[in-house]
Amino acid sequence: MKHRLIGEILREVCDLSEDTVSEALRTQDEKGGRIGEILVQKGAVTETDLLKALGIQFGLRSLPALATEEMDMSFTEVIPIQFLKKYRMVPVTTPERSYIAVNDPLQFQPLDDLRLILGWDGAETVLASYSAILSAINFAYDMSSDSAEQVILDMHEEDRDLILSAVEETGDLLDDTSDAPIIKLVNLMLSQAVKARASDIHIEPYQKKLKVRYRLDGILYDMLSPPKHIQSTLISRIKVMAKLNIAEKRLPQDGRIEIRIGDKNVDIRVSTIPIAFGERVVLRLLDKTNVLLKLTDLGMTVEGLKIFSRLIKSAHGIILVTGPTGSGKTTTLYGALSIINNPDINIITIEDPIEYQIDNIGQIQVNSKIDLTFANGLRSIVRQDPDVILVGEIRDLETAEIAIQAALTGHLVFSTLHTNDSASAVTRLIDMGIEPYLVTSSVIAILAQRLVRTICKGCRVAYRPDEESLQNIGISAEMCTGKELYRGTGCEGCINTGYRGRSGIFELMILDDQIKNLILKTSDSNAIKRLAVEQGMVTLRQDGALKVVNGLTTVEEVLRVTQK
């Protein structure tokens, strides 16, 4: 049978024009490469189309996904990860059968070598997309690597004087095959933290011990207790990766590490401070592959979302989001910006730090070393003809005054404040020195928020809390009629916490005429809040109670984040 050319098959499968194929052939003559890959790069065909055509050409099956859940990962002990990544192939063994998934069926020699090493002589070869193969490789090597606990157990007193050697920080940590226990330990600490969805790693030295804690869904958990004798080496290793001065142990230092763990790009901010028994290190992990959350994903009620979506499309005024550090204020504001972001308007932000990069938005990073403060940056932004301005935080009178001036001159301004509830934000602005009439003429709404942990779906069970607990957050017996309340019992998926992920609870106060009149008479936050509640404002605790009744979170969790 005559061997058919891939270009000919693609022309049939994708109904390509003669010109498209001819242009790809010209590119092949000039620059080399394969015709199929050239057509994919030009956007004439998709990777799925190419795999289908290769399947016809070589008589191979094509799989849309690989069965990683039941995968036997023993091959990781004999095959280096770099080999599989280089040749884009992975051996898959499930209870039913074994096969080798390849992205390029022309890699005959590596395929034969892999069969020989594994003893898989008659194993079927199948085609799969590069992303599916890479994902399976990363999954297998991540799951099969030692745990940080095991590396600590393997460490001995003689490892006290381990030599540090830097690895390429942006390389994939799963590729790093270093045998130095300290390098292995740091790599595993980072990859375990990313896998557990931790936001921070705390390394805390005490008089006779060293403790490592991870922050999961806002709560710190003890994770590791490395031997005290490796303390300085462990901290020095992290300082080398963050390009900090390892000789300076008396002053605080800040740095950053960029790493890749499998298919995740992670930005790590490193902060060290000297304490009584050594240096305390905190690593803040920001997964850059995480997509920006939409407003609809934050946990607002349908009615609350409708009102907030209308407010963020206002022509001018200030919208404030308040809450303590780590309550998701910036995420909410980014969600709002992504809704109104379109080519018709000019959006400029000033932030400290810039947490997400957003297309078509000018983002300025605060830099106190060169006197680029919120106030100075905001002054310059106003001269850039913006329609919408985001100020990361109103920290002082000067920033507040410029933000209010911008709102009064026809700009829509978003910003954050650190206050307990929405009414307290008014009091805070007046305490800063802003005249009440300026607050009422510029601020259009204040959104207070907190983050509650959501119950893990893998281990949730129905239960009935005691009446006192329910009354504490304002849940009546009628609200529970026909509803199941849940709590998590703890499983591997939630690292035995009973919770997995977080959701927002919100309190939206709109400054209508009645509230504005009250603010002109008094800045008492309790009086302002009473009037807002009388007019139908749902408080943080009431919104939390709704989430308890709907089976999303627990009574204890709502009480934890809403108690004064």
Side-chain angles (χ1 to χ4, degrees), residues 91-138:
V92 180
T93 303
T94 65
E96 290 80 40
R97 65 182 191 283
S98 299
Y99 56 87
I100 298 173
V102 299
N103 183 245
D104 179 1
L106 290 168
Q107 298 284 4
F108 302 119
Q109 191 58 55
L111 192 54
D112 287 344
D113 292 344
L114 186 60
R115 279 204 180 99
L116 194 66
I117 295 165
L118 296 172
W120 285 20
D121 227 3
E124 182 191 7
T125 303
V126 300
L127 291 167
S129 68
Y130 177 50
S131 58
I133 289 172
L134 188 62
S135 184
I137 293 170
N138 288 331

Side-chain angles (χ1 to χ4, degrees), residues 27-236:
T27 306
Q28 188 183 37
D29 288 339
E30 289 166 17
K31 299 178 182 174
R34 294 185 188 160
I35 194 76
E37 288 173 5
I38 292 166
L39 285 165
V40 170
Q41 285 162 12
K42 287 182 180 291
V45 300
T46 64
E47 189 183 7
T48 310
D49 294 331
L50 180 57
L51 288 175
K52 190 175 173 185
L54 286 168
I56 294 168
Q57 188 183 33
F58 290 92
L60 299 175
R61 280 194 314 130
S62 181
L63 293 182
L66 301 176
T68 50
E69 297 79 17
E70 305 173 285
M71 198 168 162
D72 176 6
M73 286 164 282
S74 55
F75 69 85
T76 57
E77 294 166 22
V78 288
I79 311 288
I81 187 173
Q82 295 87 343
F83 174 86
L84 298 179
K85 282 188 174 181
K86 182 179 178 181
Y87 297 112
R88 302 183 181 190
M89 54 181 67
V90 64
V92 180
T93 303
T94 65
E96 290 80 40
R97 65 182 191 283
S98 299
Y99 56 87
I100 298 173
V102 299
N103 183 245
D104 179 1
L106 290 168
Q107 298 284 4
F108 302 119
Q109 191 58 55
L111 192 54
D112 287 344
D113 292 344
L114 186 60
R115 279 204 180 99
L116 194 66
I117 295 165
L118 296 172
W120 285 20
D121 227 3
E124 182 191 7
T125 303
V126 300
L127 291 167
S129 68
Y130 177 50
S131 58
I133 289 172
L134 188 62
S135 184
I137 293 170
N138 288 331
F139 176 79
Y141 283 85
D142 188 21
M143 293 300 285
S144 61
S145 59
D146 294 336
S147 67
E149 292 92 333
Q150 188 56 50
V151 174
I152 289 167
L153 289 174
D154 294 343
M155 284 185 168
H156 306 294
E157 276 294 316
E158 56 266 28
D159 294 327
R160 187 184 293 273
D161 301 316
L162 290 168
I163 297 166
L164 292 169
S165 66
V167 294
E168 181 57 47
E169 275 77 50
T170 49
D172 190 337
L173 286 199
L174 298 179
D175 287 357
D176 188 19
T177 53
S178 171
D179 286 331
I182 208 74
I183 293 178
K184 213 170 177 184
L185 175 60
V186 172
N187 290 354
L188 286 166
M189 266 170 49
L190 294 174
S191 58
Q192 273 185 209
V194 170
K195 201 165 133 194
R197 302 168 297 102
S199 60
D200 303 82
I201 302 173
H202 290 234
I203 300 167
E204 303 165 356
Y206 297 99
Q207 188 170 6
K208 293 181 180 172
K209 63 179 180 178
L210 181 64
K211 192 194 282 185
V212 177
R213 299 198 286 172
Y214 292 176
R215 188 179 290 280
L216 301 173
D217 295 328
I219 306 290
L220 279 168
Y221 295 95
D222 287 356
M223 285 295 183
L224 304 166
S225 293
K228 179 74 175 169
H229 71 82
I230 71 158
Q231 177 182 309
S232 62
T233 325
L234 175 67
I235 291 167
S236 294

Side-chain angles (χ1 to χ4, degrees), residues 350-352 366 372-378 391-393 395 399:
I350 179 154
E351 306 165 63
D352 184 23
V366 165
L372 177 53
T373 59
F374 276 117
N376 291 341
L378 190 48
V391 185
E393 188 187 335
R395 291 179 182 169
T399 310

Side-chain angles (χ1 to χ4, degrees), residues 306-338:
K306 202 185 291 179
I307 297 167
F308 190 64
S309 298
R310 192 183 69 240
L311 288 166
I312 63 175
K313 289 169 185 163
S314 305
H316 54 81
I318 295 181
I319 294 175
L320 292 172
V321 180
T322 77
T325 304
S327 59
K329 301 185 295 292
T330 309
T331 304
T332 300
L333 287 178
Y334 277 135
L337 286 186
S338 62

